[in-house]
Amino acid sequence: MNLRHIEIFHAVYVNGSVTAAARALNVSQPSVSKMLRHAETLLGFQLFQRTNGGGLIPTHDAHTLFSEVSEIQDRVHALREAARNLRRGADGMLRVSALPSLALDALPTAVSLFLKSHENVRFDLQTVHHDDLLRKLYERETDVAIAYQVPPAAPIAHRWVGEGELVVLYREEDMPDAPPSVELERLCGRKFISVAASGPIGQLFTQELQRLEIELDEMVSARTFYIASALVRQGVGMTVVDSFTAQACLAPGLSMRPLKPRIAFDIYAMFLINRPPGALANDFLKTLTRVLDTP
């Protein structure tokens, strides 16, 4: 059986009749009937039993064959999608994953700017957590992952795309006299929402507390920066999160201040060594770098 035979068989099996299959494939009914008979001749057995009403009932052999044919059809569909994307120009599709904190505002802003000069490009955007980053790359769910820390000893390549910093996010009524930058000692005795268990950035903050021998009054422990920010908005306390989350979550009555001394971290684009970004992805990463560099 060639691919045309497989396509005809699949369409008849799924649609239940030659007429419906011809309609689905946008071809004539006689051509479907002819190709189906030819396929049965090549195989040496009958694929369908004809009913008086003009329908077709798959034989036992057809049921067995369909599971194999279905996989081939899926692959052919994927190949056609890839070809369609290539016709759109420069691969046409960018699959990018980013930490939730970057996906709140920085990534959408970069995508919006990029599409103004690359109208035919399509994006497949996902959020990714540090613990799941390698799996998404290895299983080809994403082509590029944007995160704060490169997994140690991982066989992946990376590229620096920007920098962030930790900031205090608080209700203005809770710290009306906040200075331009806040020393961690100033948070002592205040209700605090901890993000210590939220990955590398949480660990970075915990290490700074330990270095300064500071203990904060932790009312709640949140595993995501977004939840911590929502708790601040509800008046539960104040928190320290990355500047991107804080900026995206600002609302009337909320403010953010950098820490003193400043606690900064790097942002990387990560990808498989044998699948480096193409020209289109490189252009997008340049746009993302400009967005991340904008105060």
Side-chain angles (χ1 to χ4, degrees):
M1 294 178 71
N2 60 31
L3 285 177
R4 187 57 175 168
H5 291 131
I6 290 172
E7 185 178 38
I8 293 293
F9 166 65
H10 186 274
V12 174
Y13 186 100
V14 169
N15 291 280
S17 72
V18 169
T19 302
R23 190 181 305 114
L25 295 174
N26 197 28
V27 297
S28 68
Q29 183 176 335
S31 65
V32 172
S33 297
K34 180 180 178 180
M35 288 297 294
L36 185 59
R37 287 195 300 270
H38 190 213
E40 290 178 322
T41 300
L42 289 173
L43 291 169
F45 55 81
Q46 193 175 10
L47 290 170
F48 298 94
Q49 294 178 348
R50 279 70 177 173
T51 66
N52 294 332
L56 297 176
I57 300 176
T59 63
H60 176 75
D61 291 331
H63 287 308
T64 301
L65 188 65
F66 181 76
S67 61
E68 301 294 333
V69 166
S70 184
E71 290 185 16
I72 295 173
Q73 276 293 98
D74 289 342
R75 292 178 184 178
V76 170
H77 176 74
L79 178 62
R80 286 173 177 165
E81 274 295 302
R84 191 174 294 114
N85 289 336
L86 286 170
R87 283 199 301 273
R88 291 189 178 104
D91 286 345
M93 170 71 78
L94 287 177
R95 299 187 303 167
V96 182
S97 295
L99 295 177
S101 54
L102 295 169
L104 284 171
D105 186 65
L107 182 61
T109 300
V111 169
S112 176
L113 289 173
F114 192 73
L115 288 175
K116 291 179 180 178
S117 57
H118 299 76
E119 295 179 358
N120 294 325
V121 174
R122 293 191 302 156
F123 280 89
D124 178 6
L125 304 177
Q126 308 172 44
T127 57
V128 62
H129 295 280
H130 277 95
D131 293 342
D132 208 29
L133 187 153
L134 290 178
R135 182 191 65 79
K136 281 187 175 289
L137 287 172
Y138 290 153
E139 296 182 4
R140 310 294 172 85
E141 288 186 30
T142 191
D143 298 318
V144 179
I146 313 297
Y148 298 148
Q149 185 181 74
V150 180
I156 59 174
H158 63 275
R159 181 180 307 165
W160 185 91
V161 293
E163 182 184 82
E165 65 178 318
L166 295 185
V167 299
V168 181
L169 181 66
Y170 64 97
R171 290 197 309 172
E172 294 169 353
E173 63 186 87
D174 294 333
M175 195 162 54
D177 56 343
S181 57
V182 177
E183 296 178 343
L184 286 177
E185 289 85 348
R186 193 181 182 93
L187 304 183
C188 292
R190 301 176 184 269
K191 294 179 180 179
F192 189 75
I193 301 159
S194 171
V195 293
S198 62
I201 300 304
Q203 296 171 8
L204 181 66
F205 179 61
T206 299
Q207 290 169 3
E208 182 66 7
L209 289 177
Q210 293 172 347
R211 186 184 72 82
L212 297 173
E213 298 182 348
I214 293 175
E215 287 190 18
L216 299 179
D217 185 11
E218 297 181 359
M219 303 295 296
V220 181
S221 177
R223 290 185 175 270
T224 70
F225 290 168
Y226 182 77
I227 293 176
S229 301
L231 290 169
V232 173
R233 190 165 56 247
Q234 294 299 323
V236 175
M238 56 185 62
T239 191
V240 171
V241 295
D242 67 281
S243 51
F244 305 105
T245 298
Q247 186 65 48
C249 293
L250 281 180
L254 295 185
S255 287
M256 56 183 276
R257 291 288 190 275
L259 295 176
K260 183 181 180 180
R262 186 170 182 261
I263 302 178
F265 53 86
D266 293 315
I267 306 169
Y268 299 96
M270 286 163 262
F271 44 88
L272 296 177
I273 294 175
N274 61 349
R275 289 177 65 88
L280 191 67
N282 282 326
D283 284 347
F284 174 71
L285 291 178
K286 291 176 183 177
T287 300
L288 179 61
T289 298
R290 289 197 299 271
V291 170
L292 294 174
D293 192 44
T294 303

